[in-house]
Amino acid sequence: MVASVLEIKSKSISVSTKGNTDVIDVTTQMERFLKEEGAKQGILTVFVVGSTAGLTTIEYEPGLVHPLKEAFERMAAREAPYKHQERWGDDNGHSHIRASLLGPSLTVPFLNGKLCLGTWQQIILVDFDTRPRERELIVQIFGN
């Protein structure tokens, strides 16, 4: 049996968002990075920098994206009172709560150079902030 060498490759990707629970499919960017690096097996981890955005997977289509936004509104309503807003005088307390519920990172295995996603499963970035942003995604591949 031949031991294989595991490598770590990293990349920063910028994504423009509209804010206000903007849901963006970033699967293609992840697949492109995997292809560029020529890695065949391992894990891909993506992390969004900032405290008002998160990452997950979903079937990226309007019949699910819209209800996802509604679910976040029910969990952490924009108009609810937040101590964060009282302290800082801003309007994004709900954005921080929503992002903490979703989480800032996601790890997906890959085999034979392909992400192990289901047929209808995409990687999405959700920007909960109240204004458009340039979001930075840190992507790392750990594999060979």
Side-chain angles (χ1 to χ4, degrees):
M1 183 170 162
V2 176
S4 50
V5 177
L6 298 177
E7 294 184 46
I8 298 174
K9 302 287 185 171
S10 301
K11 181 176 186 172
S12 175
I13 297 173
S14 182
V15 178
S16 297
T17 71
K18 297 174 186 166
N20 297 304
T21 314
D22 191 13
V23 178
I24 300 170
D25 181 355
V26 296
T27 310
T28 301
Q29 290 99 314
M30 302 305 115
E31 291 170 335
R32 186 178 306 124
F33 179 47
L34 197 60
K35 185 177 179 180
E36 288 170 358
E37 294 303 325
K40 298 299 178 200
Q41 64 182 0
I43 57 173
L44 178 141
T45 298
V46 57
F47 176 85
V48 60
V49 177
S51 60
T52 56
L55 294 156
T56 191
T57 64
I58 194 171
E59 180 178 345
Y60 184 78
E61 61 91 13
L64 289 173
V65 170
H66 185 72
L68 179 66
K69 293 179 180 188
E70 291 173 338
F72 280 112
E73 181 60 26
R74 287 190 301 274
M75 287 188 281
R78 181 178 181 135
E79 298 305 321
Y82 296 95
K83 298 289 184 189
H84 174 77
Q85 292 168 196
E86 292 174 19
R87 180 174 180 155
W88 299 105
D90 59 12
D91 65 347
N92 70 351
H94 69 287
S95 306
H96 291 278
I97 301 298
R98 292 177 186 186
S100 69
L101 291 170
L102 190 56
S105 66
L106 182 70
T107 299
V108 179
F110 60 91
L111 293 170
N112 301 316
K114 302 262 186 218
L115 292 171
C116 296
L117 295 171
T119 302
W120 307 112
Q121 187 177 28
Q122 289 83 36
I123 300 169
I124 60 169
L125 165 68
V126 185
D127 186 351
F128 298 109
D129 214 340
T130 57
R131 61 185 173 87
R133 304 279 304 254
E134 281 297 314
R135 291 296 184 175
E136 180 184 13
L137 300 178
I138 305 298
V139 187
Q140 290 190 316
I141 294 171
F142 182 72
N144 56 26

